[in-house]
């Protein structure tokens, strides 16, 4: 529960699209939002209670908040992937064919966190294909 001057911190799809095309990385987007768009860092609830923690005042506190938000976002994403993700038709067969051919190198590239990508690969392709 984050807010700035009583307003909840929420990004519209349109705003996120702008960030996605102009600012790299999840942490970078959050820093940009708080430093450039709102000009302030949020206050937040502590352990889901009514108690509010003040907005971070130092760069170290700001970094800690962004690190915590990124870690929480990754955990939420991993839960969503575990519940909803499945491979697109033909992907498993294509991967298996490619991995069976010693002339073909198979790899994955992503801008997501390693934990998020690992979860997607394990759920959609199976952990045995990742190792």
């Amino acid at each position: 529960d984050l807010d700035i001057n009583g307003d909840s911190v929420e990004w519209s799809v349109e705003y996120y699209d702008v960030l996605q095309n102009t600012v790299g990385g999840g942490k970078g987007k959050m820093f940009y939002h708080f430093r450039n768009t709102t000009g302030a860092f949020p206050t937040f609830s502590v352990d889901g209670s009514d108690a509010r923690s003040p907005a971070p005042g130092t760069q170290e506190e700001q970094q800690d908040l962004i690190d915590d938000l990124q870690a929480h976002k990754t955990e939420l994403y991993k839960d969503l992937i575990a519940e909803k993700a499945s491979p697109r038709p033909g992907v498993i067969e294509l991967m298996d064919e490619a991995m069976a051919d010693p002339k073909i190198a198979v790899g994955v590239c992503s801008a997501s966190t390693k934990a998020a990508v690992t979860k997607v690969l394990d759920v959609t392709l199976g952990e045995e294909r990742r190792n």
Side-chain angles (χ1 to χ4, degrees):
D1 180 28
L2 304 171
D3 70 62
I4 298 173
N5 300 322
D7 293 327
S8 181
V9 176
E10 295 180 24
W11 295 354
S12 68
V13 171
E14 295 79 15
Y15 178 63
Y16 186 75
D17 188 50
V18 170
L19 290 177
Q20 189 71 356
N21 290 300
T22 57
V23 181
K27 291 181 184 183
K29 289 173 182 59
M30 288 184 258
F31 274 118
Y32 182 88
H33 177 73
F34 297 131
R35 289 179 176 159
N36 299 91
T37 303
T38 63
F41 275 74
T43 61
F44 50 96
S45 63
V46 178
D47 298 325
S49 71
D50 289 337
R52 305 289 299 168
S53 179
T58 67
Q59 286 188 341
E60 182 178 347
E61 290 171 342
Q62 292 171 359
Q63 183 68 57
D64 288 345
L65 174 62
I66 296 298
D67 290 345
D68 289 347
L69 290 173
Q70 180 70 26
H72 183 65
K73 183 182 86 162
T74 297
E75 289 306 311
L76 292 172
Y77 180 74
K78 286 168 47 180
D79 291 346
L80 178 67
I81 291 301
E83 181 182 327
K84 303 269 186 186
S86 63
R88 298 181 103 179
V91 169
I92 298 292
E93 296 79 8
L94 180 64
M95 287 287 294
D96 287 345
E97 280 184 43
M99 292 173 74
D101 186 335
K103 295 181 274 180
I104 298 176
V106 177
V108 174
C109 180
S110 175
S112 288
T113 64
K114 183 176 181 178
V117 171
T118 300
K119 187 68 169 185
V120 170
L121 294 175
D122 288 351
V123 169
T124 59
L125 302 178
E127 188 175 341
E128 68 280 2
R129 286 183 184 85
R130 186 175 51 83
N131 292 326

